[in-house]
Amino acid sequence: MHAAVFQTPFMPPTRSAREVFKWAVDRATVADQVGCTEYWVGEHATQSWESIPNPEMVLSACALNTENIILAPGAHLLPYHNPASLAIQIAWLTQILEGRYILGVGAGAYPADGTLRGFTDLSKNHKMLGEAIEIMERIWKGEPFHHEGEFFKAGFPEEDPSHPFRNMLPYGGKVRMGVTGLSANSPSIRFAGANGYLPLSVYSGVPFLKNHWKVYSEAAAGAGRTAEREDHHVVRDVFVAETDAEAKRLAKEGGMGRAWTEYLLPVYKQFGIIDGLAEGTGVDSSDIDVDFLAEHVWLCGSPDTVVAKLEEFQEATGGFGTLMIYDYDYIDDPSPWNESLRLLAQEVAPRVKLPSAANG
């Protein structure tokens, strides 16, 4: 199993933009040094706790501070961008990173982000997402075209021999993509399966993840593709420390506990996915608190404990290739949080294998 980081970021509104930016860049450096395979950075225009509006600014800074880790926006909300401009910016960043790049794409889930751009109805966002990708992929071929679609106009110009173009193509000729799903029967996960993109599932219980894989694999089969469980990325919270008690304490009393209490539990209720967290525990979802989370939702403990929990989780879900952990505010004392990431990448993830059924 691979270990990765999803830098949403979940930072309290009291943190300044400079603090958030520096933390995000520093965390990418740590993730690279300890051996994480990927580092994703979210895009949110209006959210108080998810406060990076342009992941490319962070990723560009990370490009010169990292050597091996793959960097990815998670995700660019394509309905809110000019797809041609974004395609050129992405291609340039892939060249800078020499291929250490995955493009996360999304339709946009928060109404306020849409309202900011003049969208009062988000029902067509998924259609806009598809058209935007079509334009971007045509631009990455570098062949002249003109597109006038339902939502966008774009094209690739004829080259003037007296003023030759620079190289505008992505490194290696292709951009790998991933799509995040937040709901059961997610149209985003179905879109990923139909188009051969990586599926990223936010955790909301084992049945929820099984549903995502079913939707993804069926869409892939319908498009004549074989879904690979190694491609499945699952987002969960992890805190690894020397002992189980210490891991739970650092999680509950630190940035993870605060973010869940003040922000994430209300968001899970907003999107109707909180019941999945309590399923099978005998606890009503309205009674979920940090003690419940540390015991049943977060993967907290010593390396041996977290390995055991992840092996059980792999078996229960059918298997997945990459575990993505959310990042939280441990700015005031980052050492335990950095050590948790090191333990995850070096002492936990290499010991966790996909179930034999997933490889068969």
Side-chain angles (χ1 to χ4, degrees):
M1 187 190 74
H2 299 297
V5 176
F6 197 164
Q7 182 63 268
T8 309
F10 290 128
M11 306 288 284
T14 51
R15 293 296 186 189
S16 69
R18 185 178 181 87
E19 285 178 307
V20 172
F21 181 82
K22 185 177 186 305
W23 175 254
V25 174
D26 289 347
R27 286 293 288 168
T29 304
V30 172
D32 183 51
Q33 291 172 345
V34 302
C36 290
T37 55
E38 298 167 10
Y39 187 77
W40 295 70
V41 179
E43 174 185 300
H44 303 93
T46 61
Q47 301 304 301
S48 58
W49 278 77
E50 302 175 61
S51 51
I52 295 177
N54 186 344
E56 280 191 317
M57 295 180 68
V58 174
L59 299 179
S60 298
C62 297
L64 298 182
N65 294 329
T66 58
E67 296 181 1
N68 299 305
I69 198 166
I70 294 169
L71 303 178
H76 279 312
L77 307 180
L78 297 191
Y80 309 144
H81 290 275
N82 180 302
S85 294
L86 190 60
I88 295 300
Q89 293 164 205
I90 287 168
W92 194 54
L93 188 51
T94 69
Q95 293 173 12
I96 293 169
L97 290 165
E98 298 181 330
R100 289 192 292 120
Y101 182 89
I102 296 173
L103 170 61
V105 298
Y110 290 109
D113 283 2
T115 301
L116 184 72
R117 279 77 171 214
F119 289 74
T120 56
D121 178 8
L122 306 188
S123 63
K124 294 185 178 180
N125 277 30
H126 279 280
K127 289 185 67 177
M128 296 181 73
L129 173 71
E131 185 177 325
I133 291 175
E134 177 187 350
I135 292 169
M136 294 167 74
E137 290 186 327
R138 292 186 70 181
I139 287 173
W140 291 331
K141 292 180 179 179
E143 300 171 355
F145 75 94
H146 180 74
H147 173 93
E148 293 194 20
E150 184 177 356
F151 306 106
F152 301 106
K153 293 181 180 180
F156 196 92
E158 295 277 357
E159 187 171 6
D160 181 349
S162 62
H163 297 283
F165 295 154
R166 65 171 181 82
N167 179 8
M168 294 183 283
L169 306 184
Y171 188 90
K174 189 175 182 180
V175 178
R176 198 178 189 196
M177 295 194 204
V179 185
T180 303
L182 291 172
S183 60
N185 301 310
S186 167
S188 296
I189 295 296
R190 182 175 292 107
F191 180 78
N195 290 279
Y197 304 148
L198 300 172
L200 282 65
S201 297
V202 175
Y203 178 75
S204 184
V206 169
F208 182 88
L209 294 180
K210 285 185 172 181
N211 170 265
H212 271 199
W213 182 253
K214 181 175 184 291
V215 168
Y216 179 79
S217 58
E218 288 178 352
R225 295 185 173 88
T226 300
E228 301 289 348
R229 283 197 176 267
E230 287 189 357
D231 290 338
H232 197 186
H233 289 49
V234 174
V235 185
R236 287 203 71 171
D237 286 304
V238 178
F239 208 117
V240 193
E242 184 176 345
T243 67
D244 294 358
E246 183 70 356
K248 289 180 180 179
R249 184 187 69 80
L250 290 166
K252 292 190 295 183
E253 297 179 4
M256 187 184 295
R258 180 181 177 187
W260 272 89
T261 300
E262 298 183 23
Y263 181 68
L264 278 168
L265 285 176
V267 166
Y268 268 58
K269 292 176 182 178
Q270 175 186 347
F271 285 99
I273 59 176
I274 193 169
D275 289 343
L277 299 180
E279 191 166 345
T281 65
V283 176
D284 190 276
S285 60
S286 62
D287 294 326
I288 291 177
D289 58 13
V290 291
D291 290 318
F292 174 91
L293 294 168
E295 187 65 32
H296 298 285
V297 178
W298 307 337
L299 302 174
C300 298
S302 68
D304 287 345
T305 295
V306 176
V307 167
K309 289 183 176 182
L310 279 168
E311 287 177 339
E312 181 182 357
F313 184 49
Q314 285 274 4
E315 290 288 345
T317 60
F320 57 92
T322 299
L323 176 70
M324 302 174 66
I325 67 161
Y326 281 133
D327 199 59
Y328 294 98
D329 182 2
Y330 285 85
I331 290 178
D332 296 333
D333 183 12
S335 295
W337 191 225
N338 290 344
E339 176 64 3
S340 173
L341 189 60
R342 186 194 70 80
L343 291 170
L344 174 64
Q346 297 180 8
E347 298 189 22
V348 174
R351 295 164 57 189
V352 180
K353 311 297 182 185
L354 269 72
S356 55
N359 293 315

